[in-house]
Amino acid sequence: MQIAPSILSADFANLERELQRIADADSAHVDVMDYHFVPNLTLGLPIVEALQRVTPIPLDCHLMIDDPDRWAPAYAEAGAASVTFHIEAAADPRSLARDIHAAGAQACMALKPGTAFAPYEELLEVIDMVLVMTVEPGFGGQSFMADQMPKVREVREAIDRRGGRIRIQVDGGVSASTIEQCADAGADVFVAGSAVYGADDAAAAIGELRRLATACVHH
């Protein structure tokens, strides 16, 4: 069970310090937005390169951008441990996953809440993780969409059926009150923004989220 705090909820003027606050998490979730795929603009490659130089934990880059086929491999080259592209935006996801792997990162595909998983099940052959969005991508602090849990279950069943070792990540409104539903459904990587960065003690919040998730054994 991995906790990946989202720096979308961090203090952007002090990102090095904010990464240190989450040093005992499994990775730092970095939300890249381009004002096209989503109606927000956050940070891009130069900031990721700077974060990579100072981060105590691996970077997990979530690219909410158009044309990831063109832009995503550069994030792997910059040192991100994992690069997530949106399936809705990728022209050739198989080839993109190959390019991300060739650049040294894990490849992950993300699904918006309105996107069905079934048409993309075959891509489990080439990716390392599936991100099921539990809010509409674009902004932090939104409330959790429990109606995405059947999709998480569907992905878990498909992975189990294929015998793969593919992780399932959930992102959006994940907190102490929602993480157990996600773990029960089969998720094993949890992105939490305000639940960690809004806490007085980020390390304690990470520990509590991990404890709650671990207590839910997959059925």
Side-chain angles (χ1 to χ4, degrees):
M1 293 292 177
Q2 298 189 0
I3 308 298
S6 168
I7 65 167
L8 190 59
S9 301
D11 173 5
F12 275 13
N14 293 286
L15 286 174
E16 180 174 4
R17 189 189 69 201
E18 295 285 67
L19 285 169
Q20 294 301 330
R21 280 181 71 198
I22 60 166
D24 51 355
D26 298 281
S27 59
H29 191 79
V30 180
D31 291 297
V32 174
M33 308 185 195
D34 66 355
Y35 247 145
H36 293 277
F37 184 72
V38 288
N40 194 5
L41 185 68
T42 50
L43 48 84
L45 195 56
I47 308 274
V48 170
E49 288 169 342
L51 294 174
Q52 181 60 32
R53 289 195 289 273
V54 299
T55 184
I57 52 179
L59 298 183
D60 167 32
C61 289
H62 176 193
L63 308 184
M64 289 166 265
I65 63 173
D66 282 343
D67 202 4
D69 302 73
R70 177 179 177 188
W71 302 113
Y75 288 85
E77 286 156 16
S82 174
V83 176
T84 300
F85 58 87
H86 266 269
I87 198 66
E88 304 88 357
D92 184 349
R94 278 179 183 270
S95 147
L96 176 52
R98 258 199 313 277
D99 291 346
I100 291 170
H101 286 146
Q106 293 205 317
C108 171
M109 71 172 176
L111 305 167
K112 286 160 73 164
T115 304
F117 167 68
Y120 306 106
E121 183 178 334
E122 293 300 308
L123 291 171
L124 292 177
E125 296 163 5
V126 296
I127 59 160
D128 305 289
M129 184 164 69
V130 177
L131 167 51
V132 176
M133 291 296 297
T134 43
V135 295
E136 284 296 340
F139 294 91
Q142 299 185 72
S143 52
F144 176 77
M145 297 169 71
D147 63 357
Q148 295 302 300
M149 294 304 98
K151 191 191 297 182
V152 174
R153 282 201 169 78
E154 183 188 357
V155 178
R156 172 56 61 199
E157 283 159 12
I159 292 168
D160 289 349
R161 204 164 53 239
R162 290 165 171 269
R165 293 188 56 77
I166 299 169
R167 293 188 166 278
I168 302 176
Q169 186 177 57
V170 283
D171 176 10
V174 175
S175 68
S177 58
T178 58
I179 193 166
E180 292 166 295
Q181 296 172 58
C182 300
D184 268 338
D188 50 12
V189 184
F190 307 89
V191 177
S194 26
V196 170
Y197 276 112
D200 291 334
D201 185 341
I206 291 164
E208 175 65 2
L209 289 170
R210 197 181 274 125
R211 185 189 68 76
L212 289 167
T214 305
C216 294
V217 181
H218 294 160
H219 303 300

